[in-house]
Amino acid sequence: MPLFLLLILLIPTLLPSTSLSYDEVSFLIDCGGSDNFTDDFNRKWTSDAFYSGGSPAVVAEPHVFEQKYEKSLRFFSPMSYGKKNCYSIPVPSGRYYIRIFTVYDNYDSKRRTPSFDVSVESTLVFSWPSTWTEAASRSGAYFDLFVFVDDGEADVCFYSIATDAPVVGAIEVVGVDPLSYDSSTTGRELILVNYGRLTCGSNPFGPGFTNDTDRFGRVWQSDSTLRSQASTSTVKSLSTSRPILGADLAPNHFPVRLYQNAITTTQLKMSLDYEFPVDTRLDYMLWFHFAEIDPEVKHAGERVFDIYIDGKKTSRIDIFKEIGSFSAFKWQHVVANISSTPLSIRIVPVVGKPLISGIENYAMVLLDPPTISYQAEAMRALKKSLRVPDRMGWNGDPCSPSNWDAWEGVTCHRNENGLGLVLTQLDLGSQGLKGYISDEIGMLTNLVSVNLSSNSLQGILPSGLGQKSLATLDLSGNQFNGNIPESLGSPNLHLLLLNNNELKGQVPQMVYSIGVHGGEIDLTGNKGLCGVPSLPDCSFLWDKGKLSTGGKIAVALSSVFILFVILLPIYLFCLRRRRNDYDFAFSQDLSSIAAKRNRYHRQKSLILLEMETQNTNGFQSPMNPL
């Protein structure tokens, strides 16, 4: 169920940027900010980063805010960026303190504060109803928690309610000791959401308020905000500058200043009373902090008091007996399944006057199961390949938190062991998608229904679409090409719509048998398909959408014939050129020899003619003796 913000702090606060020895990770993000800077407390802030969408803005009255990071913000319009937007901050596995600042201050000139929810690590942790208090609307508010991160990214997500645009001013992430706050007992599956962190008898302190440091970056609020009115008129503060033994030790590193201040009553037999606003049906972890800083108490038994929680006595405390004077003493208690609000705490004196240095109250929120990691990875690949538009809000975990719907068009269920979520439906028909189906869809092994119809998707159909669990598949009205994979002939598939695409080849018999066995199949509008009734024959060339052996032989013979047809004209042309070589002129030497031979024959003919003439006149020819 949604958790409602109970603690509104209106004073600036930031986390220390110094690396922690046990984790050395710290992020201070100025949401909406455009440049890096160092604040008044020498903490280094980074300009806006790690967000999935949204737009930067500036508050209406920047002069009201003391710190630079408070003046800028990022808002997420659901019409442009969808209902779910996230900051995904890269961190190593470990435990983290996360603090969020949100502010409105009429940045959009609409004079209407937005309503939205906030999740961390896919678990709903805060809910902002639409009308904020005047103080929170004008000056902003803070909320914080402790959480384990094991997937390499600390996800902080914002969910729009109706058409409201969520807003965020700053996000602070710092590593903490993984054993802090009794995690070895409670486990890693809990988020501790702050419902009140009080310093008693002191002004607020911590990073951003004072130069007093807190190893975890915690800010301690004055207890006057949650002390009952009856107690306020009968209390007094105690303080000391002496060192406090046992403070600032692992794993919790509670600051020394926390124990150097305390509150007690002005009269004997008067109790100290606190009221913590809480949400019902949740468990709460309470931490009580004590230090005997009154030098007049020197022995055990001089100050004894009982602690009542929701009217039930839970413990009797004698600080001096437990740990002596000027030493830190912590006591922890869990209240299960709160049934009423507020949560009351009463410190009732038994001997002397009651005394307390600080109180912490955390809701113990069980982490929502995330999407199984390999399926979340597959969905991120599909988001990229399908070119899912920003307006659909495909950010963060595809299925969690359970309080909200999954990604638009996505339906999820718990897996068999109940430890994670798996995808069972994809309904993205008519969404203007223009990409292709990535092979990673085969990792979504629990899909029952897929509808990607009436988009502009292209490419081949991956074989991974044939999950055994798949019952309906509608890919009609796209531009898919290539063959129909045999894997689509799943025995559980009873509706297959592939009409109006550009598919080709022989339809696998297992696929066509869907219609034969009572299912529905539509292959119309694919001019290249063949081989089943109502479609053209594929003859012997095709076998199951691929070239058969005969087809391959036919293709080979056809190739040889085509090659012959191309080479024959070339051969005939070359042969003709060889025959016409005699028409060409001789070389100069051959021409000269032929000319001399012709002159010889002409001279011989002339001599013979002359001799014949002489013989006719009675002369004997010397060339023809008797």
Side-chain angles (χ1 to χ4, degrees):
M1 64 174 289
L3 301 177
F4 291 95
L5 183 67
L6 74 104
L7 183 60
I8 297 177
L9 303 179
L10 304 176
I11 305 177
T13 178
L14 302 175
L15 295 179
S17 60
T18 55
S19 297
L20 302 179
S21 59
Y22 39 76
D23 198 271
E24 299 184 354
V25 176
S26 179
F27 285 94
L28 303 179
I29 303 171
D30 177 19
C31 302
S34 59
D35 59 321
N36 301 335
F37 66 93
T38 301
D39 68 9
D40 296 341
F41 295 92
N42 201 33
R43 284 173 290 265
K44 299 184 183 300
W45 286 78
T46 183
S47 59
D48 209 355
F50 312 120
Y51 52 82
S52 64
S55 304
V58 178
V59 295
E61 299 181 285
H63 63 276
V64 173
F65 299 87
E66 296 182 4
Q67 298 299 323
K68 181 177 179 179
Y69 79 92
E70 295 179 310
K71 302 176 183 182
S72 62
L73 59 87
R74 177 164 289 273
F75 68 95
F76 306 97
S77 171
M79 302 300 293
S80 300
Y81 300 101
K83 285 188 169 295
K84 180 180 181 181
N85 285 274
C86 302
Y87 277 79
S88 295
I89 304 163
V91 294
S93 294
R95 197 177 199 187
Y96 293 89
Y97 174 74
I98 297 179
R99 193 158 190 258
I100 301 168
F101 171 68
T102 186
V103 60
Y104 175 66
D105 192 40
N106 199 32
Y107 77 93
D108 56 0
S109 301
K110 294 181 179 180
R111 297 188 179 279
R112 183 183 179 277
T113 54
S115 57
F116 60 92
D117 289 343
V118 182
S119 75
V120 172
E121 287 301 281
S122 303
T123 304
L124 189 63
V125 291
F126 294 106
S127 185
W128 283 85
S130 173
T131 298
W132 302 13
T133 65
E134 179 64 25
S137 174
R138 182 177 176 82
S139 301
Y142 296 83
F143 44 97
D144 63 72
L145 52 84
F146 292 94
V147 63
F148 281 97
V149 177
D150 294 317
D151 60 357
E153 287 185 335
D155 289 328
V156 180
C157 297
F158 302 85
Y159 302 82
S160 172
I161 298 176
T163 59
D164 289 356
V167 291
V168 59
I171 298 176
E172 312 166 38
V173 179
V174 63
V176 301
D177 193 318
L179 297 178
S180 59
Y181 289 99
D182 198 29
S183 67
S184 59
T185 301
T186 59
R188 301 172 63 92
E189 291 75 32
L190 286 177
I191 298 180
L192 298 183
V193 181
N194 176 20
Y195 270 63
R197 184 184 301 112
L198 309 181
T199 173
C200 299
S202 170
N203 293 323
F205 74 91
F209 285 103
T210 66
N211 288 325
D212 298 279
T213 59
D214 183 296
R215 290 282 299 274
F216 291 178
R218 292 163 294 205
V219 173
W220 298 82
Q221 177 191 10
S222 171
D223 71 323
S224 61
T225 58
L226 297 180
R227 195 189 315 133
S228 67
Q229 187 174 358
S231 292
T232 301
S233 60
T234 59
V235 300
K236 69 175 183 178
S237 299
L238 300 176
S239 64
T240 183
S241 59
R242 289 180 56 176
I244 304 297
L245 298 177
D248 197 21
L249 297 180
N252 296 303
H253 293 284
F254 295 120
V256 173
R257 177 169 173 176
L258 176 64
Y259 299 99
Q260 290 178 324
N261 297 274
I263 197 169
T264 185
T265 60
T266 57
Q267 303 175 25
L268 293 172
K269 298 184 180 181
M270 296 292 294
S271 64
L272 294 171
D273 296 277
Y274 295 90
E275 292 182 344
F276 287 83
V278 293
D279 291 320
T280 57
R281 296 194 295 275
L282 289 173
D283 297 344
Y284 289 84
M285 178 184 288
L286 292 160
W287 285 75
F288 295 83
H289 301 278
F290 308 98
E292 186 52 80
I293 59 175
D294 187 346
E296 294 184 1
V297 177
K298 300 179 180 179
H299 301 92
E302 293 183 359
R303 188 195 305 275
V304 181
F305 50 86
D306 293 332
I307 297 179
Y308 288 80
I309 300 175
D310 264 357
K312 298 178 181 178
K313 179 181 175 181
T314 55
S315 182
R316 175 163 289 183
I317 303 293
D318 184 339
I319 305 172
F320 197 98
K321 180 180 178 180
E322 293 288 347
I323 205 165
S325 60
F326 296 96
S327 297
F329 175 64
K330 286 88 60 181
W331 179 69
Q332 172 202 348
H333 181 77
V334 173
V335 183
N337 195 23
I338 289 287
S339 58
S340 62
T341 185
L343 173 64
S344 64
I345 295 175
R346 169 168 284 190
I347 304 173
V348 179
V350 176
V351 178
K353 301 175 182 178
L355 180 144
I356 189 167
S357 296
I359 306 175
E360 297 176 89
N361 183 28
Y362 297 100
M364 304 171 69
V365 180
L366 188 65
L367 278 169
D368 263 4
T371 304
I372 298 299
S373 59
Y374 68 86
Q375 295 208 4
E377 178 183 347
M379 288 301 293
R380 286 189 286 269
L382 274 177
K383 174 185 176 181
K384 182 177 180 180
S385 72
L386 296 175
R387 300 182 187 177
V388 175
D390 291 341
R391 59 177 171 76
M392 296 189 69
W394 277 32
N395 302 302
D397 190 286
C399 298
S400 289
S402 57
N403 310 69
W404 273 85
D405 293 335
W407 285 1
E408 184 176 344
V410 173
T411 302
C412 304
H413 290 87
R414 286 181 180 265
N415 63 351
E416 294 180 356
N417 59 22
L419 299 179
L421 299 174
V422 294
L423 282 90
T424 56
Q425 291 185 0
L426 283 177
D427 187 0
L428 301 175
S430 303
Q431 293 295 336
L433 308 179
K434 298 181 180 180
Y436 64 94
I437 302 176
S438 68
D439 293 336
E440 283 81 357
I441 197 171
M443 300 167 67
L444 304 178
T445 54
N446 303 91
L447 279 178
V448 175
S449 174
V450 174
N451 176 18
L452 298 174
S453 63
S454 302
N455 288 292
S456 300
L457 298 173
Q458 302 178 3
I460 63 172
L461 302 181
S463 59
L465 265 174
Q467 297 96 330
K468 294 181 179 179
S469 59
L470 196 62
T472 65
L473 176 62
D474 186 356
L475 303 180
S476 61
N478 283 285
Q479 300 166 22
F480 293 114
N481 54 52
N483 304 129
I484 299 175
E486 294 185 31
S487 60
L488 289 188
S490 169
N492 293 321
L493 192 63
H494 60 76
L495 175 65
L496 177 61
L497 305 179
L498 300 177
N499 50 297
N500 299 321
N501 278 285
E502 300 173 8
L503 299 170
K504 63 183 180 181
Q506 182 168 345
V507 178
Q509 289 299 320
M510 286 294 292
V511 173
Y512 180 71
S513 66
I514 293 172
V516 176
H517 295 131
E520 181 180 349
I521 182 172
D522 190 346
L523 303 176
T524 60
N526 293 277
K527 296 181 179 180
L529 290 179
C530 61
V532 297
S534 78
L535 294 177
D537 292 335
C538 297
S539 71
F540 75 101
L541 294 179
W542 295 94
D543 180 20
K544 298 180 180 180
K546 299 179 181 180
L547 277 176
S548 63
T549 302
K552 293 178 181 178
I553 295 174
V555 171
L557 292 176
S558 299
S559 300
V560 172
F561 177 75
I562 292 171
L563 182 63
F564 175 77
V565 170
I566 294 173
L567 293 179
L568 180 60
I570 297 175
Y571 172 75
L572 294 176
F573 178 73
C574 293
L575 182 62
R576 182 177 178 183
R577 288 186 59 179
R578 196 174 304 144
R579 288 176 180 174
N580 293 335
D581 283 349
Y582 296 104
D583 295 332
F584 297 145
F586 292 112
S587 66
Q588 185 177 359
D589 293 339
L590 293 176
S591 299
S592 176
I593 294 173
K596 291 178 180 179
R597 185 173 59 210
N598 290 336
R599 285 197 301 271
Y600 169 75
H601 284 296
R602 284 197 300 272
Q603 291 175 355
K604 182 178 178 181
S605 297
L606 291 173
I607 292 172
L608 290 175
L609 179 61
E610 183 179 356
M611 291 177 64
E612 289 177 359
T613 302
Q614 292 176 356
N615 289 337
T616 303
N617 295 326
F619 293 101
Q620 184 176 353
S621 171
M623 302 298 297
N624 188 21
L626 294 175

